[in-house]
Amino acid sequence: ETAVFQTPNYHVTQVGNEVSFNCKQTLGHDTMYWYKQDSKKLLKIMFSYNNKQLIVNETVPRRFSPQSSDKAHLNLRIKSVEPEDSAVYLCASSWGGEQYFGPGTRLTVL
Amino acid sequence: QEKVQQSPESLIVPEGAMVSLNCSFSDSASQSIWWYQQHPGKGPKALISIFSNGNKKEGRLTVYLNRASLHVYLHIKDSQPSDSAVYLCAVINYGSSGNKLIFGIGTLLSVKP
């Protein structure tokens, strides 16, 4: 049963374009996250957002920015995509220890 | 920075076999360790977690934590083809602004009928 929803499933774009991915959770959790999963399947946290407090992984380039309208939504915007941004972007939410992941958005940058 | 390493990278076993997956972490103060399962094209799904030294059993899964050696193990009993997936070990640290998970690169398990 999917409770973390992501759109789109995949997106193909060209270098320099702006993209935006959506994430919504229906679990009532207080904290949401964005992860990047590279071609080697390594998952790295990019952002966590809790009660209007944003925690940024210092390795994340500035062209990435999360956007939240309420605690159920956390979108991801990439201002000017680069080839190395090609990856799967996973959204998650949590209350306590367990994290619930969405199915991911696969980004391909040509 | 916490580091999480997993072995083996991949594993092929016959149906019904016992599977053992290994994970090591670098920070003995890490608060809990989770195992996640990820099928192709899906997001990871939490399987089992452990906080204290020793064993924890849930169904066909047993997790064993040894904080002194910085190792955690996942055993899957009577493996099934549906268990074929990537298994991710994750170390979690709790904070006031949310939980920070550090993932290993995973073990790809294939269970052959």
Side-chain angles (χ1 to χ4, degrees):
Chain A
E1 65 285 25
T2 305
V4 180
F5 303 90
Q6 292 187 240
T7 57
N9 293 329
Y10 60 91
H11 187 77
V12 181
T13 190
Q14 294 187 327
V15 171
N17 285 349
E18 177 175 318
V19 299
S20 187
F21 304 146
N22 301 316
C23 179
K24 171 187 173 181
Q25 56 97 2
T26 58
L27 296 164
H29 290 162
D30 286 334
T31 308
M32 295 184 72
Y33 309 82
W34 276 101
Y35 288 85
K36 179 180 180 182
Q37 189 167 39
D38 62 24
S39 57
K40 295 183 179 179
K41 303 294 185 185
L42 182 61
L43 265 169
K44 285 189 177 177
I45 190 166
M46 301 177 71
F47 305 99
S48 66
Y49 190 80
N50 173 299
N51 200 24
K52 299 186 181 180
Q53 183 181 10
L54 176 67
I55 303 294
V56 182
N57 184 329
E58 62 270 12
T59 65
V60 173
R62 287 180 170 239
R63 59 182 179 277
F64 289 84
S65 60
Q67 297 171 321
S68 178
S69 55
D70 54 56
K71 75 173 189 177
H73 296 83
L74 185 67
N75 300 332
L76 180 67
R77 174 181 167 228
I78 313 174
K79 204 170 179 182
S80 176
V81 296
E82 299 284 341
E84 61 265 30
D85 298 338
S86 294
V88 175
Y89 292 87
L90 289 153
C91 176
S93 70
S94 75
W95 186 86
E98 183 175 350
Q99 296 204 358
Y100 294 78
F101 285 84
T105 294
R106 179 176 294 278
L107 173 66
T108 300
V109 181
L110 302 175
Chain B
Q1 175 78 7
E2 175 79 70
K3 289 186 179 178
V4 179
Q5 295 185 308
Q6 292 186 242
S7 64
E9 285 189 13
S10 63
L11 188 59
I12 302 173
V13 302
E15 184 175 355
M18 169 74 86
V19 172
S20 294
L21 307 178
N22 304 323
C23 174
S24 65
F25 51 99
S26 58
D27 184 357
S28 61
S30 297
Q31 301 203 349
S32 63
I33 294 91
W34 289 76
W35 285 93
Y36 282 76
Q37 180 192 57
Q38 187 175 21
H39 284 107
K42 306 282 187 183
K45 180 181 177 183
L47 290 176
I48 193 168
S49 66
I50 191 163
F51 174 78
S52 302
N53 273 331
N55 294 323
K56 179 180 176 182
K57 185 178 179 185
E58 289 184 3
R60 293 187 294 115
L61 304 178
T62 302
V63 61
Y64 173 67
L65 172 61
N66 183 332
R67 284 194 182 275
S69 69
L70 301 176
H71 277 83
V72 60
Y73 306 91
L74 177 67
H75 302 296
I76 306 173
K77 182 182 173 183
D78 187 24
S79 56
Q80 303 295 309
S82 57
D83 295 331
S84 298
V86 174
Y87 288 80
L88 299 163
C89 175
V91 170
I92 187 168
N93 289 304
Y94 299 103
S96 58
S97 55
N99 308 324
K100 187 176 180 182
L101 251 63
I102 307 295
F103 281 89
I105 203 159
T107 293
L108 175 61
L109 173 64
S110 296
V111 181
K112 300 298 185 184

